[in-house]
Amino acid sequence: MAQAAAVAKPPTPPRRRRASATPRRLPYLLIAPAGLLMLGFIAYPVVSVFYYSLQNYNPTKPWRNGYAGLDNFVHLFTEDPLFWDTLVFSAKWVVVEVGLQLMFGLALALIVNQTFVGRGIGRALVFSPWAVSGVLTSAIWVLLYNSQTGITRYLADMGIGEYGTSWLSDTSTVFSAVVVADLWRGVPFFAILILADLQSVSKDLYEAAEVDGASRFQQFMHITLPHLKDAIILSTLLRAVWEFNNVDLLYTLTGGGPAGVTTTLPLYIANTSVDAHNFGYASALTTVAFVILLFCSIVYLRLSKFGGESK
């Protein structure tokens, strides 16, 4: 009996009940309506643009409407010099704006990250332009650049320049004027994101670097910048896309002028669709702009190694 008890098998543990599939799917079922609604709002406009890019569609000339095939794209690349001019200016606008905004935003973030009296007020002043809407920002700078009541009049009172000078009407000064206006709105974006990332840098790293005799510049190059790598890459990509699609500020300040020197590709698209009512050709321009942004974003992320470890 003792031997039989020794070789007796242990009791079989009770089988676990198979988890029901419904609880696991419940979160997805709950967010499905909102997801489908968002997909509809995103997918329908995109598909519509692709569809109309292959059409001749002008509500003011319905007798010309119909399937155009690739005619809009052929005209765009071979017969429309405005497309290339606006594309070149868009690239110049994005590079200058994003570069300057990153530089000033990084400097401001480093300053307000320090401990000093009135730091809270300083941060509020730095971030306040970002809370102002684009339309209100444009109105502010229209008043500042007004030749009768703006900056140029006060400069003329001090003997600098002439009365009635308008920086927005002069082809030699208009680009600098609109760049400064957009810097006022865009710099806080970089400052906010970079400051948020600076808060997570361990103070022990700087203390260890000081013990080893590292200078402030060496600490910045070997500790701060590597830590900010992903934040800088993401913020520059987002801002580049937004600056490429910038319409409100340029449209309000210059309307693309004078002589079309400040017309970006999105502004050209807006003029083609809203003013000329040529929605088919505007859709073709939009499709090309979408492809350009998608290609540049992928290349930028691959070259910058976003998400990878910093060396």
Side-chain angles (χ1 to χ4, degrees):
M1 294 295 293
Q3 185 177 3
V7 297
K9 295 181 178 180
T12 304
R15 293 183 178 179
R16 294 182 179 178
R17 292 184 178 180
R18 186 176 181 181
S20 175
T22 302
R24 289 183 297 176
R25 296 175 182 173
L26 184 59
Y28 301 100
L29 294 175
L30 292 175
I31 66 174
L36 292 175
L37 189 63
M38 291 180 61
L39 181 63
F41 275 107
I42 296 174
Y44 177 74
V46 172
V47 173
S48 298
V49 167
F50 289 157
Y51 170 76
Y52 284 113
S53 67
L54 303 176
Q55 306 288 323
N56 287 322
Y57 183 65
N58 189 330
T60 63
K61 300 176 181 179
W63 59 88
R64 294 185 180 180
N65 295 345
Y67 180 72
L70 298 177
D71 290 350
N72 287 328
F73 295 96
V74 172
H75 176 75
L76 186 153
F77 287 112
T78 61
E79 302 176 15
D80 187 1
L82 288 178
F83 166 73
W84 297 107
D85 293 341
T86 57
L87 183 60
V88 170
F89 178 76
S90 297
K92 175 184 176 182
W93 171 260
V94 170
V95 171
V96 172
E97 276 294 339
V98 175
L100 291 177
Q101 289 177 21
L102 172 61
M103 181 177 65
F104 289 117
L106 177 60
L108 283 177
L110 292 173
I111 292 173
V112 297
N113 189 47
Q114 304 298 317
T115 302
F116 55 88
V117 178
R119 184 175 67 171
I121 298 176
R123 288 182 175 181
L125 292 175
V126 168
F127 301 151
S128 58
W130 184 246
V132 181
S133 67
V135 175
L136 185 56
T137 299
S138 302
I140 292 172
W141 285 95
V142 165
L143 293 175
L144 288 175
Y145 287 144
N146 187 283
S147 59
Q148 303 300 322
T149 60
I151 299 173
T152 54
R153 177 185 176 181
Y154 292 101
L155 291 176
D157 290 340
M158 295 184 293
I160 303 174
E162 300 178 356
Y163 288 101
T165 302
S166 176
W167 291 341
L168 297 177
S169 301
D170 191 341
T171 55
S172 62
T173 59
V174 63
F175 181 72
S176 300
V178 293
V179 163
V180 171
D182 201 54
L183 279 177
W184 183 81
R185 181 177 62 172
V187 167
F189 170 78
F190 282 97
I192 292 171
L193 289 184
I194 294 175
L195 177 62
D197 207 29
L198 282 173
Q199 303 297 306
S200 62
V201 182
S202 175
K203 302 298 182 183
D204 296 339
L205 295 175
Y206 294 105
E207 293 175 359
E210 289 182 0
V211 171
D212 292 337
S215 63
R216 285 292 184 90
F217 179 76
Q218 290 174 326
Q219 295 177 29
F220 174 75
M221 294 299 297
H222 297 287
I223 298 177
T224 306
L225 273 186
H227 185 86
L228 296 176
K229 171 178 171 288
D230 285 348
I232 290 176
I233 293 172
L234 182 60
S235 59
T236 51
L237 177 60
L238 292 175
R239 197 62 192 169
V241 173
W242 290 340
E243 289 298 343
F244 183 87
N245 292 317
N246 190 333
V247 173
D248 55 350
L249 183 71
L250 290 173
Y251 184 82
T252 306
L253 291 179
T254 68
V261 297
T262 59
T263 303
T264 59
L265 181 55
L267 186 55
Y268 179 40
I269 294 172
N271 292 333
T272 302
S273 58
V274 177
D275 295 339
H277 305 289
N278 192 350
F279 292 98
Y281 190 63
S283 297
L285 290 169
T286 304
T287 302
V288 173
F290 171 78
V291 173
I292 292 173
L293 282 178
L294 180 62
F295 174 78
C296 292
S297 299
I298 294 174
V299 172
Y300 179 70
L301 290 176
R302 292 293 298 272
L303 293 178
S304 62
K305 298 179 181 180
F306 177 73
E309 295 183 359
S310 303
K311 294 182 179 181

Short mmCIF file of all heavy atoms in Angstrom, two decimals, residues 146-172:
data_model
loop_
_atom_site.label_atom_id
_atom_site.label_comp_id
_atom_site.label_asym_id
_atom_site.label_seq_id
_atom_site.Cartn_x
_atom_site.Cartn_y
_atom_site.Cartn_z
N ASN A 146 1.96 98.85 -40.92
CA ASN A 146 1.22 99.90 -41.61
C ASN A 146 2.10 101.13 -41.82
O ASN A 146 2.77 101.59 -40.89
CB ASN A 146 -0.03 100.28 -40.80
CG ASN A 146 -0.93 101.24 -41.53
OD1 ASN A 146 -0.65 102.44 -41.61
ND2 ASN A 146 -2.02 100.72 -42.08
N SER A 147 2.11 101.64 -43.04
CA SER A 147 3.01 102.75 -43.37
C SER A 147 2.63 104.06 -42.69
O SER A 147 3.46 104.96 -42.56
CB SER A 147 3.05 102.96 -44.89
OG SER A 147 1.74 103.25 -45.38
N GLN A 148 1.37 104.18 -42.25
CA GLN A 148 0.92 105.43 -41.63
C GLN A 148 0.98 105.41 -40.11
O GLN A 148 1.24 106.44 -39.48
CB GLN A 148 -0.54 105.72 -42.07
CG GLN A 148 -0.72 105.81 -43.56
CD GLN A 148 0.10 106.91 -44.19
OE1 GLN A 148 0.25 107.99 -43.61
NE2 GLN A 148 0.63 106.66 -45.38
N THR A 149 0.74 104.24 -39.52
CA THR A 149 0.67 104.17 -38.05
C THR A 149 1.61 103.14 -37.46
O THR A 149 1.61 102.96 -36.23
CB THR A 149 -0.77 103.81 -37.62
OG1 THR A 149 -1.13 102.53 -38.19
CG2 THR A 149 -1.77 104.85 -38.10
N GLY A 150 2.42 102.47 -38.27
CA GLY A 150 3.24 101.38 -37.78
C GLY A 150 4.67 101.76 -37.47
O GLY A 150 5.00 102.92 -37.19
N ILE A 151 5.52 100.74 -37.55
CA ILE A 151 6.92 100.91 -37.16
C ILE A 151 7.64 101.92 -38.03
O ILE A 151 8.43 102.74 -37.54
CB ILE A 151 7.64 99.55 -37.23
CG1 ILE A 151 6.98 98.56 -36.26
CG2 ILE A 151 9.12 99.69 -36.91
CD1 ILE A 151 7.53 97.15 -36.39
N THR A 152 7.39 101.89 -39.34
CA THR A 152 8.13 102.75 -40.26
C THR A 152 7.88 104.23 -39.98
O THR A 152 8.77 105.06 -40.19
CB THR A 152 7.76 102.42 -41.71
OG1 THR A 152 6.32 102.51 -41.87
CG2 THR A 152 8.20 101.02 -42.08
N ARG A 153 6.68 104.56 -39.50
CA ARG A 153 6.41 105.98 -39.19
C ARG A 153 7.25 106.43 -38.00
O ARG A 153 7.82 107.53 -38.03
CB ARG A 153 4.93 106.16 -38.89
CG ARG A 153 4.61 107.61 -38.50
CD ARG A 153 3.18 107.79 -38.09
NE ARG A 153 2.95 109.17 -37.63
CZ ARG A 153 1.78 109.61 -37.19
NH1 ARG A 153 0.74 108.80 -37.13
NH2 ARG A 153 1.65 110.87 -36.79
N TYR A 154 7.33 105.60 -36.96
CA TYR A 154 8.14 105.97 -35.79
C TYR A 154 9.62 106.02 -36.12
O TYR A 154 10.36 106.86 -35.59
CB TYR A 154 7.87 104.99 -34.65
CG TYR A 154 6.48 105.09 -34.09
CD1 TYR A 154 5.50 104.18 -34.45
CD2 TYR A 154 6.13 106.13 -33.22
CE1 TYR A 154 4.21 104.28 -33.95
CE2 TYR A 154 4.84 106.24 -32.72
CZ TYR A 154 3.88 105.30 -33.09
OH TYR A 154 2.61 105.42 -32.61
N LEU A 155 10.07 105.12 -37.02
CA LEU A 155 11.46 105.20 -37.46
C LEU A 155 11.72 106.48 -38.26
O LEU A 155 12.78 107.10 -38.13
CB LEU A 155 11.79 103.97 -38.32
CG LEU A 155 11.85 102.63 -37.58
CD1 LEU A 155 12.10 101.49 -38.57
CD2 LEU A 155 12.93 102.63 -36.50
N ALA A 156 10.73 106.87 -39.09
CA ALA A 156 10.88 108.11 -39.85
C ALA A 156 10.92 109.32 -38.92
O ALA A 156 11.64 110.30 -39.18
CB ALA A 156 9.74 108.25 -40.86
N ASP A 157 10.15 109.26 -37.81
CA ASP A 157 10.19 110.37 -36.83
C ASP A 157 11.58 110.50 -36.22
O ASP A 157 11.99 111.61 -35.83
CB ASP A 157 9.16 110.11 -35.72
CG ASP A 157 7.73 110.27 -36.21
OD1 ASP A 157 7.54 110.92 -37.25
OD2 ASP A 157 6.82 109.72 -35.57
N MET A 158 12.30 109.39 -36.12
CA MET A 158 13.66 109.42 -35.57
C MET A 158 14.71 109.65 -36.64
O MET A 158 15.91 109.59 -36.36
CB MET A 158 13.94 108.11 -34.83
CG MET A 158 13.08 107.90 -33.60
SD MET A 158 13.51 106.41 -32.66
CE MET A 158 13.05 105.13 -33.83
N GLY A 159 14.26 109.91 -37.87
CA GLY A 159 15.19 110.18 -38.95
C GLY A 159 15.72 108.95 -39.66
O GLY A 159 16.67 109.04 -40.43
N ILE A 160 15.10 107.81 -39.40
CA ILE A 160 15.51 106.56 -40.05
C ILE A 160 14.48 106.22 -41.11
O ILE A 160 13.32 105.91 -40.80
CB ILE A 160 15.63 105.41 -39.04
CG1 ILE A 160 16.61 105.79 -37.91
CG2 ILE A 160 16.07 104.12 -39.72
CD1 ILE A 160 16.67 104.77 -36.80
N GLY A 161 14.86 106.29 -42.36
CA GLY A 161 13.94 105.98 -43.44
C GLY A 161 13.06 107.16 -43.79
O GLY A 161 13.25 108.28 -43.30
N GLU A 162 12.06 106.91 -44.66
CA GLU A 162 11.17 107.95 -45.13
C GLU A 162 9.74 107.64 -44.73
O GLU A 162 9.36 106.50 -44.51
CB GLU A 162 11.27 108.08 -46.66
CG GLU A 162 12.67 108.42 -47.17
CD GLU A 162 12.71 108.48 -48.68
OE1 GLU A 162 11.68 108.18 -49.31
OE2 GLU A 162 13.78 108.82 -49.22
N TYR A 163 8.92 108.71 -44.66
CA TYR A 163 7.51 108.53 -44.35
C TYR A 163 6.80 107.82 -45.51
O TYR A 163 7.13 108.05 -46.68
CB TYR A 163 6.85 109.89 -44.09
CG TYR A 163 7.26 110.51 -42.77
CD1 TYR A 163 8.22 111.53 -42.74
CD2 TYR A 163 6.70 110.09 -41.59
CE1 TYR A 163 8.60 112.11 -41.54
CE2 TYR A 163 7.08 110.67 -40.37
CZ TYR A 163 8.02 111.67 -40.36
OH TYR A 163 8.41 112.25 -39.16
N GLY A 164 5.82 107.01 -45.17
CA GLY A 164 5.05 106.31 -46.19
C GLY A 164 5.71 105.04 -46.70
O GLY A 164 5.18 104.40 -47.61
N THR A 165 6.85 104.66 -46.12
CA THR A 165 7.53 103.45 -46.55
C THR A 165 6.77 102.22 -46.05
O THR A 165 6.38 102.15 -44.89
CB THR A 165 8.96 103.40 -46.01
OG1 THR A 165 9.67 104.56 -46.47
CG2 THR A 165 9.68 102.14 -46.48
N SER A 166 6.57 101.27 -46.93
CA SER A 166 5.89 100.02 -46.56
C SER A 166 6.82 98.85 -46.85
O SER A 166 7.16 98.60 -48.01
CB SER A 166 4.57 99.86 -47.35
OG SER A 166 3.97 98.62 -47.06
N TRP A 167 7.22 98.17 -45.80
CA TRP A 167 8.11 97.02 -45.99
C TRP A 167 7.42 95.87 -46.73
O TRP A 167 8.09 95.07 -47.37
CB TRP A 167 8.59 96.53 -44.62
CG TRP A 167 9.52 97.48 -43.93
CD1 TRP A 167 10.22 98.50 -44.53
CD2 TRP A 167 9.86 97.52 -42.55
NE1 TRP A 167 10.98 99.16 -43.59
CE2 TRP A 167 10.78 98.59 -42.36
CE3 TRP A 167 9.49 96.77 -41.44
CZ2 TRP A 167 11.32 98.91 -41.13
CZ3 TRP A 167 10.01 97.09 -40.19
CH2 TRP A 167 10.92 98.14 -40.04
N LEU A 168 6.11 95.80 -46.64
CA LEU A 168 5.38 94.71 -47.29
C LEU A 168 5.15 94.97 -48.78
O LEU A 168 4.72 94.06 -49.50
CB LEU A 168 4.02 94.50 -46.61
CG LEU A 168 4.08 94.06 -45.14
CD1 LEU A 168 2.67 93.95 -44.57
CD2 LEU A 168 4.82 92.74 -44.99
N SER A 169 5.42 96.18 -49.23
CA SER A 169 5.23 96.51 -50.64
C SER A 169 6.53 96.57 -51.41
O SER A 169 6.53 96.76 -52.64
CB SER A 169 4.51 97.86 -50.78
OG SER A 169 3.25 97.82 -50.13
N ASP A 170 7.64 96.42 -50.73
CA ASP A 170 8.97 96.49 -51.35
C ASP A 170 9.52 95.07 -51.49
O ASP A 170 9.62 94.33 -50.51
CB ASP A 170 9.89 97.34 -50.48
CG ASP A 170 11.19 97.68 -51.19
OD1 ASP A 170 11.55 96.97 -52.17
OD2 ASP A 170 11.88 98.62 -50.74
N THR A 171 9.86 94.69 -52.70
CA THR A 171 10.36 93.33 -52.94
C THR A 171 11.68 93.05 -52.23
O THR A 171 12.02 91.89 -52.00
CB THR A 171 10.55 93.09 -54.45
OG1 THR A 171 11.41 94.11 -55.00
CG2 THR A 171 9.21 93.13 -55.18
N SER A 172 12.41 94.09 -51.86
CA SER A 172 13.69 93.90 -51.19
C SER A 172 13.55 93.69 -49.69
O SER A 172 14.48 93.21 -49.03
CB SER A 172 14.63 95.08 -51.46
OG SER A 172 14.08 96.28 -50.93
#
